Amino acid sequence: MIEIRRREVAQQFECVPSQINYVLETRFTPHHGYYVESRRGGGGYIRITRAMVRRSVGTFREIVEEIGSRIDGERAGRLMDQLEEAGVIGGTRGALIRGALRQETAGIDPPLDEVIRAKLLRVMLMIALHDQRRG
């Protein structure tokens, strides 16, 4: 988590504080794994919090909701980054999943590639998380 003073940053970049909010809120999104809170006024601040994936029973359900019925390559990559950073998926498994997704969706036109990627990702993560829990 980081907290910054809107006014100070706006002065450094010679802009108005609302522009700082706009830029940060469009770059640090929940899809990228961040939450942005802001408070306006004299002591205004912006707080950026990195969302951590929890190791819990609800984790797979949350992952499935994030994937949805279709997912593009960029979002799938960010999700894999988050899972690896949180230690939910190891680097070797992550690399295998990424490679399989690239291989199996190469040459398939949107939106069909996104549907196939989502199905593959759900199944591979379900297997990886189940295997990890067993041993």
Side-chain angles (χ1 to χ4, degrees), residues 21-39:
N21 272 47
Y22 173 77
V23 169
L24 293 177
E25 288 172 356
T26 57
R27 301 315 190 271
F28 293 93
T29 65
H31 280 301
H32 287 100
Y34 296 93
Y35 296 100
V36 177
E37 302 171 59
S38 64
R39 191 177 87 191

Side-chain angles (χ1 to χ4, degrees), residues 71-79 98 101 105 113-114 117:
I71 188 167
D72 64 34
E74 185 180 332
R75 272 187 46 223
R78 285 193 307 260
L79 177 60
R98 289 171 195 269
L101 291 176
T105 58
D113 68 328
E114 296 177 356
R117 186 179 295 107

